[in-house]
Amino acid sequence: MGIITTDQLVHEYIRRDENGDEIGREQALRGVSIDIPAGSFIAVLGANGSGKSTFAKHLNALLNPTSGTVIVNGLDTRKEENQWDIRKSAGMVFQNPDNQIVATVVEEDVAFGPENLGVKQEELQGRVDEALKKVGMFEYRYHSPNRLSGGQKQRVAVAGIMAMRPSCIIMDEPTAMLDPNGRKEVIDTVHQLNKEEGITVILITHYMDEVVGADYIYVMDHGEVAMEGTPREIFTHVKELSDIRLSVPCATELCHRLREAGISMELSGVLTSKDFVNAYRNTHFTDLSKESIKNPNSAENALKSPNTVREEGASGDGEHLDNNEVLLELQNVCYTYSEGTTYEKKALKNMNLKIHEGEFVGLIGHTGSGKSTLIQHLNGLVKPTSGKVMFKGEDIHGEKYSKKALRSNVGLVFQYPEYQLFEATVLKDVCFGPKNLGLSQEEAEKKAKEALALVHIDETMYNSNPLELSGGQKRRVAIAGVLAMSPKVLVLDEPTAGLDPVGHDEILQEINHIHEETGMTVVLVSHSMEDVAEYADRVVVMSDGECKLYGTPQQVFRNVSELESMGLAAPQVSYIMQMLHAEGLAKEAFAITLDQAVNALLSERRETR
């Protein structure tokens, strides 16, 4: 028997009406039986609503089985007297760090867990310092968690569990709010704990590249284990994973697309960039006639030059927007948190930025670089310590300027959509903004229904409680609430965090569709270099409160070493292309999207026939 064993685990949620009466039951887990060996690194994958988080909460007795059993370190989770010992041995890192941060100072929060376990004072400080260093948050040890970014809070939450030194760490989307370097640091840290200290790790994630190094993967779908195996076994099933809203690592996807287009490559075992290069070295070119091409979209477009991609709607060329009206402008904007106190922090330093009408702007930067602070300046939620924010040439903090008018023109969707959902039903929530602008009930409902249709929320959900929706549905409703006010600018702070791969793509495609159909200006804050490369006209790169790079995706992502020095990265596919070029396997050394890489490689194959 492993450190954790479940046998026919079933969990039902009871649905109740507003009076508390039961109106139905929903089975979130349906007979899940697994055995996790001590010291292993296990990954759990699944779409939103597949039962992953419910399963995780059973592993440290936060939930009790409706039926079946969960045994942790030989203890039955159903017995109340076992729960303290279970939670000592199985530490849980939640999706949203606000759910587990309790103290007013970072180091006190990290100390909370081990202190409650009775760790002696002389050992306690060493544990706290070590945990904070491992997640890159030591310099923030005296800060208030309330002053940290979402990603920084997540690192503190991870450190708090590490300091407890449990025999098992369960991590539910721990890197959803982290920059690329932060994600790597956390995953590398838990791998180190797993290998050097024998700590069992159970990682729930939607980042496929994070599970390449796992010992074993369980794939969940509709509350059941749909697939299980090693990473090399699981990721050969590209279509089957796609059918249940999942994806595969970047290298695997690129290999799959080339195979579909007629290049004979071995898919099994291609998980990393190095794997791809080795597999590509051994390929031979097969027939590229239309009859042999299984994926017309990738293959027909593949024969065109990569330079034409932008003209067809993919990433890259923003120069044609330079002559458009400047909607938003930051002029020497500085902002300091807790000015004049020991917690003083300069979040923005002499920011100068112009956002033109019709642009799709990607805003990237390391965790704590000032991205969220910057976008809160765009609709006047935060006032600069110095400098000016202009909308259509007017100072938004001028004496007679209407903040109400500004916020109808510049709509902001927060990192956590549940923070801006508060009405009893979806329709009422989306009507709130238009009614606040003075529209009649009839006009507000018309606007709300149009906005809900844009984000694919149908009439059957109008009377649902927005807080009971899935993560993806909440985000759609929050976006609809802003769209219903017909803003000129839509600002989105990490709108895809925590979503499964298909939900992630759907949200971005919907946003891009709205942008293209209406000409609405979009500002997207993201930690995904791939998303920014795919959709943005321009990219703003922030580091330590300053704008370090600015340009089209092609211009920005050529600065790989500079991006990496700021805790960022280029899109994964660009590293693959550089490796192929260095090995003499590709003429083209630069691509920032999968489509561009496929286009370039197939074009080269055709030329050499």
Side-chain angles (χ1 to χ4, degrees):
M1 182 183 286
I3 188 171
I4 294 176
T5 302
T6 72
D7 183 30
Q8 293 298 312
L9 171 62
V10 173
H11 187 88
E12 290 182 348
Y13 286 107
I14 299 173
R15 293 170 54 226
R16 301 182 185 278
D17 61 20
E18 57 188 18
N19 298 317
D21 296 325
E22 182 178 333
I23 57 173
R25 291 179 177 242
E26 181 182 344
Q27 205 168 64
L29 297 175
R30 307 175 183 185
V32 175
S33 297
I34 66 165
D35 188 67
I36 297 174
S40 59
F41 193 117
I42 303 297
V44 181
L45 304 177
N48 292 116
S50 63
K52 304 185 308 298
S53 294
T54 299
F55 174 71
K57 289 172 185 173
H58 276 277
L59 303 187
N60 73 341
L62 286 175
L63 293 175
N64 280 326
T66 303
S67 64
T69 58
V70 180
I71 306 297
V72 179
N73 267 342
L75 301 172
D76 190 332
T77 62
R78 292 175 299 183
K79 296 180 180 179
E80 194 173 337
E81 63 270 23
N82 291 339
Q83 291 178 357
W84 172 255
D85 289 326
I86 287 169
R87 288 170 191 159
K88 279 170 61 178
S89 65
M92 180 90 170
V93 180
F94 295 99
Q95 239 177 5
N96 186 342
D98 290 335
N99 293 341
Q100 66 189 99
I101 289 179
V102 295
T104 56
V105 178
V106 164
E107 70 168 11
E108 289 178 6
D109 194 87
V110 177
F112 181 81
E115 200 167 28
N116 273 281
L117 296 179
V119 174
K120 293 180 180 177
Q121 197 62 39
E122 54 268 28
E123 184 187 348
L124 186 62
Q125 190 63 51
R127 282 201 193 189
V128 170
D129 290 351
E130 181 186 15
L132 285 170
K133 285 175 183 174
K134 282 181 175 177
V135 298
M137 289 297 293
F138 184 71
E139 65 181 286
Y140 294 90
R141 62 193 181 280
Y142 302 131
H143 286 236
S144 165
N146 290 333
R147 294 297 188 193
L148 301 180
S149 70
Q152 289 171 321
K153 288 179 185 177
Q154 189 63 285
R155 292 195 203 190
V156 172
V158 172
I161 296 300
M162 287 179 175
M164 294 167 65
R165 295 184 181 169
S167 56
C168 176
I169 297 179
I170 304 145
M171 312 181 86
D172 188 3
E173 295 280 357
T175 63
M177 301 305 300
L178 298 183
D179 56 59
N181 194 53
R183 281 204 302 271
K184 185 177 184 301
E185 283 178 359
V186 169
I187 297 301
D188 286 352
T189 299
V190 293
H191 270 292
Q192 184 182 345
L193 290 169
N194 172 249
K195 288 186 174 78
E196 296 178 6
E197 300 182 33
I199 292 176
T200 305
V201 175
I202 300 167
L203 173 66
I204 295 170
T205 183
H206 287 135
Y207 289 108
M208 302 300 133
D209 292 295
E210 290 183 352
V211 306
V212 164
D215 298 317
Y216 204 73
I217 296 175
Y218 289 96
V219 180
M220 297 191 67
D221 183 40
H222 291 94
E224 300 177 318
V225 176
M227 301 167 66
E228 60 177 283
T230 65
R232 293 190 185 279
E233 291 167 342
I234 292 297
F235 289 128
T236 57
H237 300 284
V238 178
K239 184 181 185 306
E240 291 89 337
L241 289 168
S242 176
D243 288 343
I244 55 174
R245 300 176 65 86
L246 296 178
S247 63
V248 295
C250 175
T252 314
E253 178 66 23
L254 180 56
C255 182
H256 173 70
R257 291 197 190 186
L258 291 175
R259 281 166 55 90
E260 291 285 287
I263 294 182
S264 176
M265 290 185 70
E266 180 58 47
L267 181 62
S268 177
V270 176
L271 300 177
T272 66
S273 299
K274 187 176 179 181
D275 292 336
F276 179 89
V277 172
N278 289 334
Y280 192 77
R281 186 182 288 111
N282 298 321
T283 63
H284 63 275
F285 191 71
T286 59
D287 181 25
L288 248 185
S289 66
K290 287 188 177 180
E291 289 74 24
S292 71
I293 293 169
K294 298 175 184 176
N295 186 343
N297 289 333
S298 67
E300 287 182 20
N301 289 335
L303 303 181
K304 301 172 185 174
S305 162
N307 297 326
T308 67
V309 172
R310 179 61 207 164
E311 294 168 21
E312 299 178 48
S315 67
D317 176 15
E319 272 87 359
H320 65 286
L321 296 166
D322 280 345
N323 296 324
N324 288 14
E325 180 184 10
V326 175
L327 288 183
L328 283 161
E329 183 176 3
L330 276 68
Q331 299 177 352
N332 297 312
V333 169
C334 297
Y335 185 77
T336 304
Y337 283 109
S338 305
E339 193 172 20
T341 74
T342 55
Y343 299 118
E344 180 173 305
K345 182 182 185 311
K346 294 186 185 302
L348 296 178
K349 305 168 188 174
N350 296 313
M351 276 294 300
N352 289 285
L353 179 65
K354 291 180 180 179
I355 297 172
H356 296 79
E357 184 178 13
E359 277 193 307
F360 195 126
V361 179
L363 181 58
I364 61 176
H366 61 79
T367 303
S369 62
K371 303 184 302 297
S372 293
T373 302
L374 185 149
I375 63 171
Q376 288 175 49
H377 279 76
L378 299 183
N379 73 344
L381 285 178
V382 173
K383 184 177 181 180
T385 305
S386 63
K388 290 182 179 181
V389 180
M390 317 288 283
F391 181 75
K392 289 191 169 185
E394 291 187 68
D395 184 349
I396 68 170
H397 296 288
E399 231 178 87
K400 296 181 180 178
Y401 196 88
S402 167
K403 292 292 194 301
K404 186 175 180 179
L406 173 70
R407 288 164 190 159
S408 70
N409 280 306
V410 183
L412 175 58
V413 180
F414 296 104
Q415 274 180 342
Y416 301 108
E418 51 268 35
Y419 292 172
Q420 65 192 92
L421 302 174
F422 52 87
E423 287 281 11
T425 70
V426 165
L427 188 59
K428 283 182 180 178
D429 204 283
V430 180
C431 282
F432 180 83
K435 285 180 70 176
N436 223 24
L437 295 177
L439 272 65
S440 68
Q441 180 66 35
E442 186 180 350
E443 291 171 322
E445 283 195 10
K446 183 175 182 290
K447 287 274 191 183
K449 288 175 181 178
E450 287 172 354
L452 286 164
L454 278 173
V455 296
H456 300 292
I457 294 289
D458 62 44
E459 294 181 17
T460 60
M461 300 178 67
Y462 285 179
N463 293 317
S464 299
N465 183 326
L467 297 178
E468 292 179 356
L469 303 178
S470 71
Q473 289 167 337
K474 285 177 184 174
R475 277 175 171 76
R476 286 184 169 90
V477 173
I479 292 169
V482 173
L483 291 177
M485 295 189 289
S486 303
K488 298 281 187 188
V489 185
L490 178 63
V491 184
L492 302 118
D493 194 358
E494 295 283 356
T496 63
L499 296 186
D500 61 56
V502 171
H504 170 282
D505 291 346
E506 286 174 349
I507 287 284
L508 288 176
Q509 287 164 9
E510 285 163 9
I511 291 165
N512 192 51
H513 175 73
I514 292 163
H515 163 70
E516 291 179 342
E517 288 294 309
T518 67
M520 185 182 293
T521 302
V522 175
V523 179
L524 172 70
V525 177
S526 179
H527 281 136
S528 170
M529 304 302 106
E530 285 73 19
D531 292 345
V532 171
E534 184 72 31
Y535 294 104
D537 300 307
R538 309 263 197 189
V539 182
V540 178
V541 183
M542 292 191 66
S543 182
D544 299 320
E546 298 178 281
C547 178
K548 298 292 188 181
L549 291 171
Y550 174 76
T552 66
Q554 280 88 349
Q555 292 166 341
V556 167
F557 287 125
R558 286 185 185 274
N559 298 279
V560 178
S561 58
E562 192 171 350
L563 288 167
E564 289 177 341
S565 73
M566 293 185 282
L568 299 173
Q572 187 61 37
V573 73
S574 69
Y575 293 100
I576 295 174
M577 291 298 289
Q578 287 171 17
M579 290 172 70
L580 289 173
H581 184 70
E583 295 273 338
L585 299 172
K587 296 177 188 175
E588 176 60 55
F590 185 72
I592 58 175
T593 69
L594 279 165
D595 284 344
Q596 288 177 7
V598 171
N599 289 349
L601 294 175
L602 290 182
S603 293
E604 289 181 15
R605 289 286 180 132
R606 185 172 176 82
E607 287 170 13
T608 58
R609 286 185 67 181

